[in-house]
Amino acid sequence: MSYRIGLGVDFHQLAEGKKLWIGGIDIPHYKGSLGHSDADVLLHAICDAMLGALCLGDIGVHFPNTSAEFKDIDSKILLERTFALIQKEGYAVVNIDSTLCLELPKIKPYVLQMRETIARIVQLTVKDVSVKATTTEQMGFAGREEGLMAYATVLLKKM
């Protein structure tokens, strides 16, 4: 098969006193994501989409939250390592489409920087990386600012 598509989803709790990393960018906010790594929900969803496209399991298989090696690791490193796994299988990323679900902060001022960061890591142009956001209209855990989530779809092509 020359093309493969993958879908990734990730969730993280929000807590005061933590940094909020989204798309490889440290976003100023009074709450940040809880997790074993830097808890970058967007990069984790993208990793899962890439791994899923090639039936390579999920981010927890490759970077377990029980390993001290990955404690507080920068998720850009996880994306780099995931991309290397994709390349090892003979695939390249064609494009990425992603959506963040969170009430606050508004991420529009950071979207271009996120796209540039992701594109650089997976060897794409910014035009091949989409980052969108939506609120949940104050409903559910995201609406109450207890957590956030991200969805990502990735298209891979055999090199």
Side-chain angles (χ1 to χ4, degrees):
M1 202 186 296
S2 60
Y3 287 96
R4 304 292 295 258
I5 194 164
L7 174 66
V9 178
D10 196 40
F11 303 82
H12 280 283
Q13 291 181 21
L14 290 172
E16 291 186 30
K18 301 293 282 182
K19 288 190 171 239
L20 182 60
W21 286 94
I22 302 177
I25 307 304
D26 183 3
I27 298 176
H29 193 55
Y30 76 102
K31 285 185 174 181
S33 298
L34 288 174
H36 186 70
S37 66
D38 66 5
D40 188 323
V41 69
L42 180 57
L43 295 189
H44 293 182
I46 292 170
C47 288
D48 268 349
M50 292 168 64
L51 292 167
L54 296 180
C55 301
L56 296 176
D58 60 34
I59 195 169
V61 169
H62 296 274
F63 315 110
N65 65 4
T66 54
S67 171
E69 176 186 358
F70 305 114
K71 179 71 175 146
D72 298 323
I73 194 168
D74 183 334
S75 291
K76 292 186 293 295
I77 296 169
L78 301 181
L79 183 59
E80 289 168 355
R81 291 183 184 180
T82 301
F83 181 59
L85 290 169
I86 298 312
Q87 289 181 305
K88 184 179 175 186
E89 294 291 324
Y91 282 82
V93 179
V94 175
N95 75 303
I96 298 170
D97 182 28
S98 63
T99 303
L100 290 159
C101 302
L102 71 166
E103 207 65 36
L104 290 172
K106 299 301 182 192
I107 63 142
K108 185 176 181 179
Y110 308 100
V111 167
L112 180 57
Q113 194 176 357
M114 290 178 197
R115 292 174 60 210
E116 289 170 343
T117 298
I118 296 163
R120 177 184 47 77
I121 294 169
V122 298
Q123 300 177 6
L124 292 175
T125 68
V126 173
K127 290 184 176 189
D128 297 320
V129 178
S130 170
V131 176
K132 306 176 303 296
T134 188
T135 69
T136 59
E137 302 294 332
Q138 300 178 344
M139 296 181 294
F141 69 89
R144 292 186 302 272
E145 295 183 63
E146 296 170 0
L148 70 165
M149 61 186 147
Y151 300 92
T153 303
V154 175
L155 180 64
L156 304 180
K157 181 180 180 180
K158 190 79 169 169
M159 297 189 314

